[in-house]
């Protein structure tokens, strides 16, 4: 498998795994590419790669669902794992553990290189020539407010004093060839940075990056802690710096292997109307909002650029996988730093990341003497309620670690048989995110609601705790060994007959 350092080598690696489907016929970026991408994600197919796009210059291409679940049997997280420099066989628990291990004190900042060695500078458009018309900007859903320039790229912004640079996936809509608008929410990092520019009455420089190292989009979709630079965070995951180059018209730096870079500035006022856009919660809500105006000052791009496309909607697609991994890892770190025993955390993808599922080790009572299940669940809720990441899911479940929270069968069984319909739960009231339609309109308007923590922990051994009625749980060890030996012998016979 080739070394992965840009979107092209990433696609090649996926192709080796049989996880890319090439479309040699002409495909229209106006809805058709997104419709095919939605079919791909909804049916577990390989990532669609469109080689000929209606209305775009010859050579311009598009890849759908680069951050969605993989079609490789038994390895659904192959795309996101490879993007982060991990084996394609990485499990959810292994992925979360690796991300939670990143030491925020030992981040690896990006490394600036010369423009001469940067593929993203192969073509440079400045001023009036820097228009979106030549690019295959996708119209993603039929009721969207317009074509969406950004669905799986990162918006790069920096505070006026230069202390914090943020790479974030945020949706950006085309208005005309040289203007865009996008969600700049106060609760999100790009909104926090924009507010500082708004406060001094100056436009905010930005760079909108499509493609590049595949890990760029993944960390851009995560919830890296506030004031931590995603570029340095990605470097720590990869174990080496991400190479960047200075923009043409501002001082921001972008990944050298980016496919397309759009440079410009955001107005210090909310002058444009953004939306609607079907979102990760699975609903095409008819919502619009006033947002800053993005003016384009320059565009640079590689020869024969590849535009990444994520067709957000009902789970599971790109808008769920990276956030689930990132939030899960941060919750693990927060709880462990508070001295609480945690095996793993996962935001179930099929629940659109609305749930956080926490598992604790079987010996947690030994680690925390004298504590019972309500007390442990209460402490978990108390820690989560005081952190931004702990309030990103409205519902939290706490289970023993005989449950794999990334296995939907395990999870449904645990929720159905271990969670009391009305008892063993606590509500923690506080700030809530504005994108959860499960809350009332009043709660969403006020930005205030409850996160509910459900205690699904089992009783201690010998206190009414029944064995799991599984192959491992209710059959004698000798009989299990006999069954497994017979299976192995049968498999060997089948292989021998097949080779004759």
């Amino acid at each position: 498998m080739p070394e992965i350092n840009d979107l092209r080598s990433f696609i090649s690696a996926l192709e080796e795994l049989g996880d890319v489907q090439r479309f040699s016929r002409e495909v229209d970026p106006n809805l058709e590419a997104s419709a095919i991408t939605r079919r791909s994600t909804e049916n577990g197919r390989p990532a669609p790669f469109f080689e000929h796009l209606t209305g775009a210059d010859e050579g311009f291409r598009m890849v759908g669902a680069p951050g969605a679940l993989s079609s490789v049997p038994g390895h659904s997280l192959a795309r996101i794992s490879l993007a982060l420099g991990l084996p394609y066989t990485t499990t959810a628990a292994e992925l979360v553990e690796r991300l939670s291990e990143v030491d925020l004190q030992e981040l690896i900042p990006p490394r600036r290189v010369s423009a001469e060695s940067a593929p993203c500078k192969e073509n440079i458009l400045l001023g009036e020539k820097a228009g979106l018309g030549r690019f295959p900007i996708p119209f993603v859903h039929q009721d969207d407010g317009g074509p969406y320039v950004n669905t799986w790229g990162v918006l790069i912004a920096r505070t006026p004093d230069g202390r914090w640079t943020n790479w974030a996936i945020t949706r950006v809509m085309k208005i005309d060839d040289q203007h865009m608008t996008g969600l700049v929410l106060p609760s999100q990092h790009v909104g926090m940075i924009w507010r500082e520019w708004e406060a001094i009455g100056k436009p905010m420089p930005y760079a909108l990056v499509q493609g590049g190292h595949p890990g760029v989009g993944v960390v851009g979709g995560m919830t890296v802690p506030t004031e931590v630079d995603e570029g340095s965070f990605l470097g720590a995951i990869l174990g080496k710096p991400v190479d960047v180059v200075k923009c043409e018209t501002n001082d921001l730096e972008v990944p050298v292997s980016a496919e397309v870079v759009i440079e410009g500035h955001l107005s210090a006022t909310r002058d444009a109307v953004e939306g609607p856009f079907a979102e990760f919660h699975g609903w095409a809500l008819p919502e619009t909002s006033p947002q800053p105006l993005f003016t384009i000052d320059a565009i640079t791009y590689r020869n024969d650029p590849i535009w990444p496309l994520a067709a957000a909607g009902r789970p599971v697609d790109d808008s769920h996988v990276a956030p689930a991994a990132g939030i899960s890892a941060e919750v693990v770190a927060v709880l462990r730093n508070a001295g609480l025993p945690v095996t793993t955390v996962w935001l179930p993808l099929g629940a659109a990341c609305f749930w956080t599922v926490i598992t604790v080790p079987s010996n947690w009572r030994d680690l925390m003497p004298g504590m019972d299940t309500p007390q442990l669940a209460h402490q978990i809720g108390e820690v989560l309620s005081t952190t931004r990441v702990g309030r990103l899911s409205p519902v939290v479940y706490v289970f023993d670690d005989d449950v794999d929270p990334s296995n939907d069968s395990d999870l449904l069984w645990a929720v159905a048989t271990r969670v009391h319909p009305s008892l063993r739960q606590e509500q923690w009231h506080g700030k809530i995110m504005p994108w959860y339609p499960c809350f009332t309109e009043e709660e969403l308007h006020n930005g205030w609601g409850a996160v509910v923590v459900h205690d699904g922990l089992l009783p201690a051994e010998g206190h009414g705790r029944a064995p799991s009625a599984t192959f491992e749980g209710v059959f004698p060890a000798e009989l299990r060994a006999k069954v497994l030996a017979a299976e192995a012998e049968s498999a060997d016979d089948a292989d021998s007959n097949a080779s004759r």
Side-chain angles (χ1 to χ4, degrees):
M1 187 170 290
E3 180 183 358
I4 297 174
N5 49 35
D6 61 7
L7 184 59
R8 302 176 186 211
S9 54
F10 176 66
I11 292 171
S12 295
L14 294 182
E15 203 153 26
E16 282 194 24
L17 297 175
D19 197 27
V20 171
Q21 180 181 4
R22 288 182 176 264
F23 286 76
S24 57
R25 68 175 177 84
E26 185 174 292
V27 173
D28 196 337
N30 183 11
L31 294 179
E32 186 181 10
S34 297
I36 294 169
T37 300
R38 275 308 306 178
R39 287 283 291 169
S40 169
T41 56
E42 290 177 7
N43 292 279
R45 295 175 181 169
F49 185 65
F50 308 112
E51 298 179 298
H52 301 285
L53 298 163
T54 304
D57 289 355
E58 187 60 34
F60 285 26
R61 298 163 293 169
M62 182 177 289
V63 62
L69 293 180
S70 171
S71 65
V72 179
H75 303 296
S76 61
L77 297 177
R79 292 181 200 172
I80 187 174
S81 299
L82 288 174
L84 295 176
L86 301 172
Y88 77 91
T89 55
T90 301
T91 66
E94 291 167 344
L95 174 61
V96 170
E97 196 64 27
R98 174 69 189 101
L99 294 174
S100 68
E101 290 171 350
V102 174
D103 188 343
L104 299 183
Q105 305 304 313
E106 297 183 8
L107 299 178
I108 301 178
R111 175 178 56 199
R112 183 188 279 201
V113 302
S114 66
E116 289 75 17
S117 61
C120 67
K121 301 287 189 179
E122 289 174 339
N123 301 275
I124 300 174
L125 306 175
L126 299 173
E128 293 182 358
K129 294 182 179 179
L132 296 173
R134 72 182 63 200
F135 297 98
I137 310 301
F139 209 109
V140 186
H141 318 97
Q142 66 178 2
D143 294 325
D144 288 350
Y148 267 79
V149 180
N150 197 52
T151 59
W152 191 249
V154 296
L155 181 67
I156 298 179
R158 181 180 294 154
T159 55
D161 62 6
R163 73 181 188 281
W164 176 26
T165 300
N166 177 242
W167 296 2
I169 291 182
T170 187
R171 70 195 206 201
V172 178
M173 184 183 82
K174 176 182 176 180
I175 295 176
D176 57 40
D177 267 8
Q178 292 194 299
H179 296 93
M180 309 176 292
T181 186
L183 278 189
V184 181
L185 300 176
S187 58
Q188 294 182 310
H189 290 167
V190 66
M192 297 175 189
I193 292 175
W194 179 80
R195 257 198 324 241
E196 294 191 24
W197 289 93
E198 178 192 31
I200 62 175
K202 291 185 178 181
M204 183 184 83
Y206 76 87
L208 184 58
V209 174
Q210 304 298 319
H213 190 287
V216 171
V218 175
V219 299
M222 292 180 176
T223 56
V224 173
T226 302
E227 304 237 0
V228 171
D229 295 0
E230 283 80 2
S232 300
F233 188 81
L234 178 57
I237 297 171
L238 298 174
K240 60 181 180 180
V242 177
D243 285 343
V244 295
V245 65
K246 182 183 173 298
C247 284
E248 295 294 309
T249 59
N250 59 48
D251 290 332
L252 296 172
E253 297 167 327
V254 298
V256 296
S257 59
E259 296 289 330
V260 181
V261 177
I262 302 170
E263 305 175 17
H265 57 275
L266 274 68
S267 61
T269 54
R270 296 182 182 272
D271 305 318
V273 177
E274 192 275 341
F277 184 77
E279 266 290 2
F280 77 100
H281 44 55
W283 300 99
L285 301 176
E287 296 176 345
T288 61
S289 61
Q291 298 295 340
L293 183 69
F294 291 56
T295 297
I296 298 172
D297 299 325
I299 300 177
T300 69
Y301 63 98
R302 297 183 69 165
N303 294 330
D304 301 329
I306 303 172
W307 201 281
L309 165 67
R314 182 170 167 173
V316 177
D317 58 52
D318 316 62
S319 61
H320 307 102
V321 185
I327 295 171
S328 299
E330 195 172 346
V331 171
V332 165
V334 164
L335 293 176
R336 287 179 180 169
N337 288 340
L340 296 173
V342 175
T343 302
T344 194
V345 174
W346 188 247
L347 274 65
L349 303 177
C353 301
F354 278 39
W355 296 355
T356 294
V357 182
I358 299 164
T359 62
V360 297
S362 58
N363 66 337
W364 68 266
R365 290 175 177 82
D366 299 329
L367 300 173
M368 308 193 77
M371 182 169 288
D372 59 15
T373 62
Q375 290 171 324
L376 179 57
H378 175 83
Q379 285 207 13
I380 289 172
E382 193 167 44
V383 171
L384 294 182
S385 68
T386 61
T387 66
R388 177 180 180 271
V389 71
R391 300 198 63 84
L392 289 177
S393 297
V395 179
V396 177
Y397 293 102
V398 184
F399 294 123
D400 294 84
D401 65 2
D402 64 321
V403 172
D404 176 0
S406 69
N407 182 312
D408 287 349
S409 177
D410 266 21
L411 182 60
L412 285 173
W413 173 64
V415 170
T417 63
R418 304 185 188 189
V419 177
H420 192 279
S422 61
L423 304 177
R424 300 178 66 196
Q425 60 179 255
E426 284 190 83
Q427 296 186 15
W428 299 86
H429 291 267
K431 290 183 179 179
I432 57 173
M433 299 300 111
W435 48 70
Y436 293 117
C438 56
F439 286 109
T440 67
E441 287 189 19
E442 182 180 3
E443 288 170 324
L444 292 173
H445 176 76
N446 295 328
W448 195 266
V451 170
V452 180
V453 179
H454 293 273
D455 172 10
L457 292 167
L458 294 171
E461 294 283 357
H463 291 78
R465 180 171 180 169
S468 173
T470 62
F471 177 75
E472 294 289 338
V474 293
F475 295 97
E478 314 84 66
L479 179 59
R480 296 201 307 269
K482 179 180 179 181
V483 171
L484 293 174
E487 279 185 9
E489 184 178 349
S490 177
D492 289 343
D493 288 345
D495 290 342
S496 176
N497 290 333
S499 64
R500 288 174 183 170

